[in-house]
Amino acid sequence: MTKAAALSADHLKWFGFFINTFARIELQMQIAAAGMMGTDLGTAIIAMHGSQYRQKRLAVKNLSRTLGINGKRIPELEALLDQVHKFSQLRNRIAHSTWTEGRRPGSAKPMVMTLSDDDEPGLLGHYHNERDWTPADLKAEAIKLEKLANDITDVLRSTGLEARVQAMIDKSKSSTSERPGKPSSK
């Protein structure tokens, strides 16, 4: 058996940073979908409930191609989502794998069995020549992913998608506050 990884606090910090940034991007995809569909964020979240990252990405790219913003495709959003996709395998390894010692000092690598319809099952994390990750390696990838998340925010703002969704939220808040009844004591 392979020894369990002595993951450092820095490994774990960058694991968390990476997963949190990926979750932020998934929320951004739901905001983009809501804006393109002209619906509120809650409806988009409900419609995408149970969808994994890959389905959300495909839905947003298809919405861009069919609805876009004011009938115009959003190629910059599609391109950013393609760049984010390059990080999805590392995100999945962080979230779903046990990690073991890497070959370099202070490094770790994911242990996983790869399964697909087309290939024989494969093992990762058991051989000396596999990719391993130091905290510095993880930090570098996490910073690149955060930049993409910030770029997606810029696109949501520049296209007006964020403003559309915020307007729906504001409309929902104002209609709720106008309803008759006793104010909440909470």
Side-chain angles (χ1 to χ4, degrees):
M1 288 292 276
T2 304
K3 290 193 272 182
L7 291 172
S8 69
D10 281 339
H11 277 102
L12 299 175
K13 174 176 76 174
W14 293 111
F15 281 3
F17 188 95
F18 204 91
I19 295 296
N20 187 66
T21 303
F22 222 93
R24 175 181 165 204
I25 290 168
E26 288 195 46
L27 177 60
Q28 290 172 318
M29 288 191 283
Q30 292 169 318
I31 291 168
M36 286 185 273
M37 292 187 297
T39 190
D40 62 282
L41 182 57
T43 299
I45 290 171
I46 290 167
M48 294 177 136
H49 177 74
S51 297
Q52 296 178 354
Y53 152 76
R54 290 178 195 272
Q55 289 85 22
K56 287 179 183 131
R57 175 178 168 262
L58 183 59
V60 170
K61 288 182 74 170
N62 284 326
L63 285 168
S64 172
R65 293 170 184 151
T66 58
L67 297 175
I69 185 82
N70 299 324
K72 291 185 179 180
R73 190 173 180 167
I74 312 168
E76 58 270 27
L77 179 60
E78 294 174 41
L80 287 168
L81 292 178
D82 287 342
Q83 291 178 47
V84 167
H85 190 64
K86 296 173 186 174
F87 293 87
S88 66
Q89 186 177 56
L90 178 56
R91 179 258 176 228
N92 289 339
R93 298 288 192 257
I94 290 170
H96 302 293
S97 298
T98 299
W99 287 63
T100 188
E101 287 180 341
R103 71 183 180 285
R104 296 179 292 159
S107 70
K109 61 184 178 179
M111 288 178 47
V112 66
M113 179 179 269
T114 59
L115 302 170
S116 73
D117 291 338
D118 302 325
D119 295 323
E120 294 291 320
L123 295 175
L124 292 177
H126 297 276
Y127 306 103
H128 75 283
N129 61 345
E130 295 170 324
R131 173 76 196 259
D132 59 5
W133 299 86
T134 64
D137 297 333
L138 291 167
K139 177 182 178 181
E141 295 302 294
I143 297 302
K144 290 176 197 172
L145 186 63
E146 182 184 39
K147 169 134 179 29
L148 290 172
N150 292 338
D151 291 347
I152 292 170
T153 295
D154 292 343
V155 169
L156 293 176
R157 288 183 179 150
S158 69
T159 59
L161 287 170
E162 185 179 72
R164 277 185 175 192
V165 173
Q166 187 61 53
M168 294 293 285
I169 291 169
D170 293 345
K171 181 180 174 186
S172 175
K173 284 181 185 177
S174 68
S175 68
T176 302
S177 65
E178 295 171 1
R179 291 185 183 158
K182 292 192 279 184
S184 173
S185 62
K186 294 182 181 179

